[in-house]
């Protein structure tokens, strides 16, 4: 106890280096030692001692506490850096996600959270950090740097700006996020459009409401007004999206228009009410009509039943019914005209009641009439028709009398029988009536024709026509005869007169005609066909002249026949020559038939070249038409053979053409469907394929080919025109987008020139990659711009690598500077740790160097130095040639056994941790320094 007063513990030593050394000897597991370390970390006067104690304790909660509460400013800052590194995962101390979340929830200072947010990858932690930092300006960068579904979805909930959403859409991690962004943009557009659309609908509603002032019909106005008011209620419920001024304007306008309507239609309101009353009265009158019709119908049915069943009629009951209905009619709302009508009908029923015996007799008479006509058969000849038609007409007259007496109460069976008989007789008489009408028309026509022949002096023909008229006239009915009797008597008298004058007129006319044909014999016509036609004409005239005087009739006929024969003689020679020519034509046609027969046989062999068939058929048809005339009888025979050979091929060819037409119509339909495709370029590819198919389809016939081609061509032309328009539009859009991307790239290049941090360069590279992706998505790809962007990305990578290399070199330079300080004879650990070089290196290297500083064992690092030089391929001093050889052999043997690869940093750490650094190591440090620096 006494000595303890004179000998203090090392951690209480005045020399800070001793205290630092003593810290390494303290055991954290020992509560007393731990308290000592905590006390040193919080109260020691030396910064390095505090740092060393904190490093020894390696406790996050302690680091956190000291980052807020340590009295030494530099230790406090150092603790804050350690906390940040621990939270970012760049420290030996690791925390669970739950601990990190708890820290985020409880921490008050935001220092270091942004840096942590940049490196954190856990979804929940990123979201918690973003909420804690609460800086909306970080949203875009976090969204870009954290391409994860949960994070991006959370961030999307915070965004309400359309332009920001459009930017984020380019950074979406998958299609799901892209779809959510697009839906959110669509909703924003809808909400932005809602006031305008609502205003438009409201204006339209007000316009329709105002238009009601021009409606003349008050009822129509009320109906439309009700509809518009319902629509107004629906629209006004959404007025919250409008400004207060817009709301007031619409509400004021609506109230003003409603006031105008009430004022304008006030006079018509009373008239409208009167109309409603009138309409109601009309409905009541209609109902009354239905009622009285039903009542009278029941009375009629009762009377009819009594008549048919021969039952006793209670006239008193009927009279009471008539009285009741009459009273009801007089008291009803029916108009005077309707009342009069029903009273008349009711009186008819009263009269029927009084005439029941007569009605019963009419039923008997009707039955007898049906039986009588049923015994008479329908006519089957014209004579029977003329005999039985008057009987049927008389029966119809009698039936009408009976039907009138029956007062409309004949049994249904009798009326049905009458209808059947009437239909049967009308159908049976119709052909005879039509035939007589036709015959009557023909007789009229013949009489008129006879009059013309008589006027023209063609008496011989007139006599023949009159004989036919007399025969047809006798077949007419008496009624038809009476209609044309006067004309018939007139022409009969005229023909009787002509019969006496026939010989007197015919003799000079025949003599004149004989002179005319004699002149034709003496001077024949140049054209034999005209000559033959003239002879035929004279013969026709001769036959129409009738008989000449009996003493010269025979002589005139003989002379006329001789002259006709002489006049026709030149024609006979001509026709004989023509017959020879026709024989040649027949031979030519038979040759064509032989060719067709051979060709038909070739067409039976598959496959058939239908194009060649079409050509050959046209050729045969031209040959056949050019072959010349053939004798009529033979022509019919060979024409039948021609048709028999050609028609089957033509039929098959038409079927082939029709099939082709169907195929081409199908292609046209497909082309029309393709033209409806929103993807115009896909439609173009489809149509091009259809064009190729069209080329391989054969001819579709004269009727279809040109029409189908025009339709197909029209669809193609319209589609290609649309394609050209789309290409022009796309080209303009493409250029606009490319210009925008080029501007973005130029701005990014300008900004990147000043970037010196890896984070800034990484973000610039990400933006450049996004620009490159957009440029590659533009078709066609602009290779020049793509090369420019890729070159820029490559330059960023080069600059990033250069910064990393420079930073690494700076670290190595700092490490070797510290080593060189440590190797000095008067080296002081506390001073070294306070140097700028020591503060530049990472915590891990600091710990390694502090560990070395605390070592006192002196070691020889020559062999390890030679190993590093061998690993790096660096020459060793000549004096160590033999030692280098030994080490090299040893390393080769180890390499062969282990197969491990060389790690220069790990080898250096091994070199460093071998023992304490002293002045003798300066030379070795100088030798290995070029390897790392």
């Amino acid at each position: 106890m006494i000595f303890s007063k004179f000998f203090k513990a090392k951690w209480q030593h005045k020399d800070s280096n001793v205290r630092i050394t003593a810290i390494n000897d303290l055991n954290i597991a020992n509560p007393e030692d731990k308290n000592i370390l905590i006390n040193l970390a919080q109260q020691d006067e030396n910064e390095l001692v505090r740092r060393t104690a904190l490093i020894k304790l390696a406790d996050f909660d302690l680091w956190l506490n000291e980052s807020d509460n340590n009295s030494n400013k530099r230790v406090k800052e150092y603790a804050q850096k350690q906390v940040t590194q621990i939270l970012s995962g760049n420290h030996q101390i690791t925390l669970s996600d739950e601990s990190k979340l708890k820290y985020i929830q409880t921490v008050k200072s935001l220092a270091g959270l942004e840096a942590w947010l940049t490196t954190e990858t856990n979804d929940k932690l990123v979201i918690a950090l973003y909420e804690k930092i609460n800086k909306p300006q970080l949203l875009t960068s976090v969204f870009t740097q954290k391409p994860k579904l949960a994070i991006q979805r959370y961030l999307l909930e915070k965004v309400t700006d359309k332009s920001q959403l459009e930017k984020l859409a380019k950074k979406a991690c998958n299609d799901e996020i892209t779809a959510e962004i697009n839906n959110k943009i669509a909703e924003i557009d809808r909400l932005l459009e809602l006031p305008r659309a609502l205003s438009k609908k409201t204006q339209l509603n007000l316009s329709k409401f105002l238009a009601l002032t021009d409606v003349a019909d008050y009822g129509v106005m009320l109906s439309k007004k009700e509809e518009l008011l319902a629509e107004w209620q629906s629209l006004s419920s959404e007025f919250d999206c409008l400004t207060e001024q817009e709301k007031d304007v619409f509400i004021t306008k609506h109230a003003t228009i409603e006031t105008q309507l009430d004022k304008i239609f006030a006079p018509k309101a009373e008239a409208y009410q009167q109309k409603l009353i009138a309409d109601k009265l009309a409905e009541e009158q209609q109902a009354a009509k239905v009622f009285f019709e039903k009542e009278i119908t029941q009375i009629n049915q009762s009377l009819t039943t009594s008549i048919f069943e021969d039952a006793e009629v209670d006239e008193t009951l009927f009279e009471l019914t008539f009285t009741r209905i009459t009273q009801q009619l007089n008291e009803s709302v029916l108009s005077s005209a309707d009342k009069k009508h029903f009273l008349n009908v009711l009186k008819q029923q009263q009269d029927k009641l009084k005439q029941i015996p007569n009605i019963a007799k009419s039923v008997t008479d009707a039955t007898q009439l049906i039986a009588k006509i049923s015994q008479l058969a329908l006519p089957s000849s014209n004579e029977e028709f003329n005999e039985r038609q008057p009987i049927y007409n008389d029966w119809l007259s009698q039936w009408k009398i009976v039907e009138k007496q029956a007062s409309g109460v004949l049994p249904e069976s009798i009326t049905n029988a009458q209808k059947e008989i009437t239909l049967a007789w009308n159908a049976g008489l119709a052909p005879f009536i039509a035939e007589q009408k036709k015959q009557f028309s023909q007789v009229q026509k013949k009489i008129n024709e006879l009059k013309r022949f008589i006027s023209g002096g063609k008496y011989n023909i007139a006599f023949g026509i009159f004989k036919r008229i007399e025969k047809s006239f006798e077949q007419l009915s008496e009624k038809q005869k009476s209609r044309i009797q006067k004309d018939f008597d007139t022409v009969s008298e005229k023909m009787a007169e002509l019969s006496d004058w026939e010989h007197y007129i015919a003799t000079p006319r025949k003599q004149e005609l004989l002179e005319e044909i004699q002149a034709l014999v003496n001077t024949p016509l140049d054209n034999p066909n005209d000559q033959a036609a003239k002879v035929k004409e004279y013969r026709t005239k001769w036959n129409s002249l009738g008989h000449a005087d009996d003493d010269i009739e025979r002589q005139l006929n003989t002379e006329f026949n001789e002259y006709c024969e002489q006049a026709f003689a030149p024609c006979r020679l001509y026709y004989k020559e023509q017959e020879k020519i026709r024989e040649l034509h027949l031979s030519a046609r038979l040759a064509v038939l032989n060719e067709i027969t051979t060709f038909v046989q070739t067409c039976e062999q598959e496959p058939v070249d239908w194009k060649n068939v079409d050509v050959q058929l046209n050729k045969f048809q031209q040959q056949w038409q050019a072959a010349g005339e053939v004798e009529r009888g033979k022509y019919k025979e060979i024409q039948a053979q021609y048709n028999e050979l050609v028609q089957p091929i033509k039929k098959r060819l038409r079927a082939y053409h029709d099939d082709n037409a169907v195929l081409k119509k199908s292609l046209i339909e497909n082309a029309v469907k393709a033209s409806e495709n929103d993807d115009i370029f896909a439609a173009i590819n489809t149509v091009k394929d259809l064009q190729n198919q069209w080329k391989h389809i054969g001819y579709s016939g004269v009727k279809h080919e040109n029409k189908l081609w025009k339709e197909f061509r029209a669809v193609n032309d319209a589609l290609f025109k649309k394609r050209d328009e789309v290409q022009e539009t796309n080209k303009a859009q493409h250029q606009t987008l490319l210009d925008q991307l080029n501007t973005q790239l130029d701005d990014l290049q300008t900004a990147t020139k000043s970037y010196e941090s890896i984070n800034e360069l990484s973000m610039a590279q990400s933006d450049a990659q996004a620009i490159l992706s957009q440029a590659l998505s533009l078709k066609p790809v602009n290779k020049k711009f793509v090369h420019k962007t890729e070159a820029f990305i490559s330059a960023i990578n080069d600059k990033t690598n250069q910064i990393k290399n420079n930073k690494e070199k700076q670290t190595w330079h700092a490490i070797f500077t510290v080593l060189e300080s440590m190797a000095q004879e008067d080296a002081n650990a506390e001073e070294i740790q306070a140097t700028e070089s020591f503060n530049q290196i990472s915590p891990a290297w600091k710990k390694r160097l502090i560990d070395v500083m605390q070592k006192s064992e002196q070691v020889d690092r020559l062999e390890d130095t030679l190993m590093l030089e061998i690993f790096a391929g660096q020459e060793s001093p000549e004096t160590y040639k033999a030692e280098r050889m030994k080490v090299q052999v040893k390393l080769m043997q180890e390499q062969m056994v282990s197969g491990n690869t060389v790690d220069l940093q790990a080898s250096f750490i091994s070199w460093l941790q071998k023992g304490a650094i002293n002045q003798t190591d300066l030379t070795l440090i100088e030798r290995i320094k070029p390897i790392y620096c």
Side-chain angles (χ1 to χ4, degrees):
M1 296 292 293
I2 297 173
F3 287 101
S4 62
K5 295 180 181 180
F6 296 98
F7 298 98
K8 293 183 179 180
K10 288 184 178 181
W11 57 271
Q12 294 176 320
H13 198 279
K14 291 182 178 181
D15 190 345
S16 61
N17 290 328
V18 175
R19 293 201 301 276
I20 290 172
T21 304
I23 288 173
N24 291 324
D25 297 332
L26 296 175
N27 186 0
I28 302 175
N30 187 334
E32 185 178 349
D33 288 353
K34 186 174 182 181
N35 288 332
I36 292 171
L37 288 169
I38 293 173
N39 186 52
L40 289 172
Q42 295 176 347
Q43 299 179 8
D44 195 279
E45 60 185 13
N46 187 275
E47 176 190 347
L48 291 177
V49 174
R50 291 193 183 198
R51 286 191 186 188
T52 305
L54 288 172
I55 293 172
K56 180 69 175 180
L57 287 166
D59 182 83
F60 173 74
D61 292 333
L62 191 57
W63 281 116
L64 182 60
N65 180 64
E66 298 308 311
S67 69
D68 290 330
N69 304 316
N70 199 284
S71 58
N72 188 303
K73 182 179 179 182
R74 296 184 66 178
V75 173
K76 188 176 181 180
E77 292 175 353
Y78 180 72
Q80 288 174 349
K81 290 181 181 179
Q82 298 303 309
V83 169
T84 301
Q85 290 176 359
I86 292 170
L87 292 172
S88 302
N90 297 324
H91 202 278
Q92 287 106 339
I93 299 175
T94 58
L95 294 179
S96 65
D97 291 340
E98 290 75 11
S99 299
K100 292 180 179 181
L101 282 171
K102 185 177 179 182
Y103 167 76
I104 295 170
Q105 292 167 1
T106 57
V107 69
K108 296 180 180 179
S109 174
L110 302 182
L113 293 187
E114 288 190 35
W116 179 14
L117 177 61
T118 304
T119 58
E120 185 56 60
T121 57
N122 183 279
D123 297 357
K124 293 181 179 179
L125 293 175
V126 169
I127 293 172
L129 284 168
Y130 181 80
E131 288 182 343
K132 189 69 176 180
I133 297 170
N134 193 23
K135 287 186 178 180
Q137 59 267 32
L138 294 177
L139 188 142
T140 303
S141 61
V142 174
F143 189 93
T144 304
Q145 295 169 6
K146 313 295 180 184
K148 290 188 175 182
L149 180 63
I151 297 173
Q152 292 194 343
R153 179 171 285 161
Y154 163 77
L155 294 173
L156 279 181
E157 295 176 357
K158 309 291 183 182
V159 184
T160 56
D161 182 65
K162 179 180 177 182
S163 60
Q164 189 174 11
L165 284 170
E166 290 173 345
K167 292 177 182 177
L168 295 182
K170 302 174 183 178
K171 310 294 183 181
C173 63
N174 58 25
D175 293 340
E176 189 175 346
I177 291 295
T178 302
E180 290 183 16
I181 292 174
N182 290 335
N183 290 338
K184 200 157 187 178
I185 291 173
E187 179 63 15
I188 291 171
D189 289 339
R190 188 189 72 80
L191 293 175
L192 290 174
E193 179 67 18
L194 184 59
R196 191 181 71 83
L198 183 60
S199 296
K200 187 175 181 181
K201 290 180 181 178
T202 306
Q203 289 285 8
L204 181 60
N205 178 273
L206 291 173
S207 298
K208 292 180 179 179
F209 202 39
L210 181 61
L212 293 180
T213 57
D214 298 328
V215 176
D217 191 312
Y218 183 77
V220 173
M221 187 280 294
L222 281 180
S223 176
K224 291 184 177 180
K225 180 181 179 182
E226 186 176 352
E227 293 178 5
L228 291 173
L229 285 175
E231 184 182 358
W232 169 260
Q233 291 297 328
S234 176
L235 292 171
S236 60
S237 65
E238 300 179 7
F239 277 3
D240 290 341
C241 67
L242 300 177
T243 64
E244 290 299 325
Q245 184 179 0
E246 288 175 324
K247 280 195 228 177
D248 294 341
V249 169
F250 287 143
I251 292 171
T252 303
K253 281 185 178 179
H254 188 271
T256 303
I257 295 171
E258 193 166 16
T259 303
Q260 289 178 351
L261 283 174
D262 293 340
K263 184 177 180 181
I264 291 172
F265 284 96
K268 295 184 179 181
E270 184 178 353
Y272 179 72
Q273 293 299 325
Q274 293 296 330
K275 182 178 181 298
L276 291 178
I277 295 171
D279 292 342
K280 184 178 180 181
L281 177 62
E283 291 179 3
E284 292 176 352
Q285 288 177 339
Q286 182 61 33
K289 285 182 182 179
V290 173
F291 171 76
F292 288 119
E293 285 173 354
K294 184 178 179 181
E295 289 286 319
I296 293 172
T297 301
Q298 288 179 350
I299 293 172
N300 183 56
Q301 288 177 349
S302 298
L303 287 173
T304 303
T305 302
S306 299
I307 293 168
F308 292 162
E309 295 179 358
D310 196 20
E312 185 177 351
V313 178
D314 189 348
E315 294 185 10
T316 304
L317 180 62
F318 276 106
E319 287 296 339
L320 288 173
T321 303
F322 289 145
T323 303
R324 176 178 60 81
I325 295 175
T326 301
Q327 183 179 356
Q328 289 176 336
L329 275 169
N330 291 327
E331 294 174 353
S332 69
V333 295
L334 291 175
S335 64
S336 299
D338 289 336
K339 287 180 181 179
K340 184 177 180 180
H341 165 71
F342 283 113
L343 288 171
N344 289 335
V345 174
L346 195 62
K347 186 175 184 305
Q348 291 174 5
Q349 297 299 322
Q350 289 175 315
D351 293 342
K352 188 187 293 185
L353 180 64
K354 297 174 183 179
Q355 297 174 1
I356 286 179
N358 294 333
I359 294 172
K361 182 177 180 302
S362 68
V363 173
T364 303
D365 293 343
T367 305
Q368 292 175 353
L369 285 174
I370 294 295
K372 180 180 177 181
I373 195 66
S374 298
Q375 296 174 0
L376 185 66
L378 290 169
S380 57
S381 63
N382 197 49
E383 291 76 11
E384 291 179 356
F385 169 75
N386 290 331
E387 177 186 347
R388 296 176 186 176
Q389 187 188 29
I391 298 173
Y392 173 69
N393 290 336
D394 181 60
W395 179 84
L396 283 178
S397 300
Q398 294 179 34
W399 177 265
K400 289 178 181 179
I401 294 171
V402 170
E403 193 173 35
K404 184 177 180 181
Q405 291 175 350
S407 300
V409 294
L410 286 174
E412 187 176 356
S413 59
I414 294 177
T415 55
N416 288 341
Q418 185 267 339
K419 290 177 182 178
E420 291 179 4
I421 291 169
T422 304
L423 288 173
W425 271 86
N426 288 340
L429 297 178
F432 294 104
I433 293 173
E435 180 62 29
Q436 279 202 346
K437 285 182 179 180
K438 181 179 177 182
Q439 199 169 32
F440 177 77
S441 177
Q442 289 177 346
V443 171
Q444 278 186 316
K445 185 177 179 181
K446 290 293 183 182
I447 289 175
N448 292 330
E449 188 178 2
L450 177 61
K451 289 179 180 179
R452 287 196 301 273
F453 280 123
I454 292 173
S455 301
K458 298 179 180 180
Y459 304 123
N460 196 34
I461 297 175
F463 281 113
I465 291 175
F466 182 68
K467 289 179 182 179
R468 290 194 291 274
I469 290 174
E470 285 182 316
K471 184 177 179 181
S472 298
F473 184 78
E474 292 301 322
Q475 295 178 354
L476 297 178
S477 66
E478 293 300 325
K479 184 177 180 180
Q480 288 176 323
K481 286 180 181 178
S482 63
R483 288 175 60 189
I484 57 173
Q485 186 68 51
K486 185 177 180 179
D487 288 340
F488 180 75
D489 293 342
T490 300
V491 295
S492 296
E493 292 174 3
K494 191 67 176 176
M495 292 308 297
E497 294 177 8
L498 288 176
S499 179
D500 297 334
W501 285 88
E502 180 183 11
H503 301 304
Y504 177 77
I505 295 172
T507 300
R509 294 290 299 274
K510 282 191 173 184
Q511 289 174 343
E512 290 176 6
L513 190 58
L514 197 64
E515 292 176 0
E516 291 178 9
I517 196 168
Q518 184 179 4
L520 183 63
V521 170
N522 297 330
T523 312
L525 301 175
D526 296 334
N527 190 331
N529 290 325
D530 294 343
Q531 181 83 0
K534 201 68 176 175
V535 172
K536 185 177 180 180
E537 180 186 345
Y538 287 149
R539 173 69 70 181
T540 302
K541 284 184 179 180
W542 186 272
N543 292 333
S544 67
L545 291 176
H547 295 281
D549 294 335
D550 293 337
D551 54 346
I552 61 172
E553 173 68 15
R554 185 184 296 268
Q555 179 184 352
L556 290 174
N557 286 337
T558 301
E559 290 181 6
F560 181 77
N561 289 335
E562 289 177 356
Y563 284 135
C564 282
E565 187 65 25
Q566 293 175 17
F568 194 73
C571 300
R572 190 171 282 108
L573 292 174
Y574 170 75
Y575 290 143
K576 189 173 182 180
E577 291 296 325
Q578 289 296 313
E579 186 175 351
K580 292 179 181 179
I581 295 172
R582 283 194 288 271
E583 288 295 331
L584 294 175
H585 292 168
L586 177 62
S587 299
R589 289 182 182 269
L590 291 174
V592 173
L593 288 177
N594 290 334
E595 288 184 34
I596 296 174
T597 302
T598 303
F599 179 70
V600 168
Q601 293 173 353
T602 62
C603 291
E604 298 298 328
Q605 301 173 2
E606 296 290 344
V608 180
D609 184 357
W610 291 108
K611 184 176 182 180
N612 180 55
V613 169
D614 199 5
V615 172
Q616 289 297 327
L617 281 179
N618 288 331
K619 177 184 174 184
F620 292 145
Q621 187 171 358
Q622 290 173 1
Q623 290 177 348
W624 188 260
Q625 292 174 349
E629 295 182 358
V630 178
E631 191 270 322
R632 184 180 297 276
K634 292 181 179 180
Y635 176 76
K636 289 182 179 180
E637 181 181 348
I638 61 173
Q639 183 65 34
Q641 294 178 24
Y642 175 79
N643 291 334
E644 186 178 353
L645 290 171
V646 171
Q647 288 304 323
I649 302 178
K650 282 187 174 181
K651 186 176 180 181
R652 290 175 64 191
L653 183 61
R654 279 195 299 272
Y656 170 71
H657 288 164
D658 292 342
D659 291 342
N660 291 340
V662 170
L663 293 174
K664 290 183 176 181
K665 286 178 182 178
S666 176
L667 293 184
I668 292 171
E669 291 174 359
N670 292 337
V672 172
K673 289 179 181 178
S675 66
E676 296 170 355
N677 190 348
D678 293 335
D679 188 348
I680 187 66
F681 297 101
I684 289 293
N685 291 333
T686 301
V687 167
K688 286 181 179 178
D689 181 54
L690 295 176
Q691 289 175 349
N692 291 330
Q693 294 179 43
W694 185 285
K695 292 177 183 177
H696 292 92
I697 297 175
Y699 188 61
S700 56
V702 176
K703 183 178 179 181
H704 301 294
E705 183 65 24
N706 288 337
K707 181 181 177 181
L708 292 175
W709 171 246
K710 288 179 180 178
E711 291 181 18
F712 187 65
R713 181 66 181 273
V715 176
N716 279 261
D717 290 346
L719 193 55
F720 279 99
K721 182 179 179 182
K722 187 176 178 182
R723 190 272 312 269
D724 293 341
E725 292 173 354
V726 170
Q727 283 182 334
E728 287 298 321
T729 304
N730 289 346
K731 186 177 180 182
Q733 293 175 350
H734 179 282
Q735 188 59 47
T736 301
L737 291 173
L738 193 62
D739 292 341
Q740 293 174 357
L741 292 177
N742 198 31
T743 302
Q744 292 177 20
L745 185 62
D746 291 341
D747 294 343
L748 191 59
Q749 284 177 323
T750 303
T752 306
K753 291 178 181 179
S754 60
Y755 290 171
E756 294 298 335
S757 71
I758 293 176
N759 285 340
E760 289 177 326
L761 291 172
S762 177
M763 292 181 64
Q765 184 182 26
S766 177
D767 292 341
Q769 287 288 357
I771 292 173
L772 179 60
S773 298
Q774 293 181 59
L776 291 173
S777 66
L778 297 176
K779 305 297 180 182
V781 175
N782 189 305
K783 294 182 179 179
K784 183 178 179 181
F785 181 75
V786 168
H787 291 329
K788 176 183 177 181
T789 310
E790 289 174 341
F792 174 59
I793 293 172
S794 178
I796 292 176
N797 289 333
D798 293 343
K799 189 172 183 179
T800 302
N801 291 333
Q802 184 181 357
I803 292 173
K804 287 180 179 179
N805 291 336
N806 292 339
K807 189 173 181 180
E808 188 175 355
K809 285 182 179 180
Q810 289 174 3
T811 301
W812 283 110
H813 273 292
I815 291 171
F816 277 94
T817 301
V818 173
L819 284 176
E820 289 170 352
S821 299
M822 290 168 62
Q824 299 298 324
E825 186 176 357
D826 56 349
N828 184 292
E830 185 177 343
E831 293 177 356
I832 292 173
Q833 292 180 35
T835 60
E836 184 179 352
S837 297
F838 185 83
N839 288 323
Q840 287 179 357
I841 61 179
S842 66
W845 277 109
K846 288 178 181 178
K847 188 174 184 308
R848 293 186 187 110
L849 292 173
I850 290 173
D851 289 341
V852 174
M853 291 179 194
Q854 295 172 355
K855 290 182 180 181
S856 57
E857 182 185 357
Q858 301 296 319
V859 293
D860 185 5
R861 288 185 169 86
L862 177 60
E863 185 176 335
D864 294 278
T865 302
L866 290 171
M867 287 173 60
L868 291 175
E869 289 174 337
I870 292 169
F871 288 154
Q874 181 174 295
E875 292 295 329
S876 303
E878 190 66 27
T879 54
Y880 298 106
K881 186 174 183 182
E883 288 84 351
R884 179 183 173 105
M885 183 60 68
K886 289 178 183 180
V887 174
Q888 194 164 5
V889 171
K890 180 182 177 182
L891 290 174
M892 290 176 64
Q893 290 173 347
E894 291 177 356
Q895 183 68 24
M896 291 175 64
V897 173
S898 65
N900 294 330
T901 56
V902 176
D903 186 341
L904 282 173
Q905 182 171 322
S907 299
F908 174 76
I909 293 171
S910 177
W911 180 93
L912 179 65
Q913 293 176 342
K914 204 166 181 65
I917 299 292
N918 53 47
Q919 196 169 9
T920 59
D921 292 323
L922 277 173
T923 305
L924 300 179
I925 291 171
E926 291 298 326
R927 282 170 59 182
I928 65 173
K929 184 176 180 180
I931 296 174
Y932 298 97
C933 296

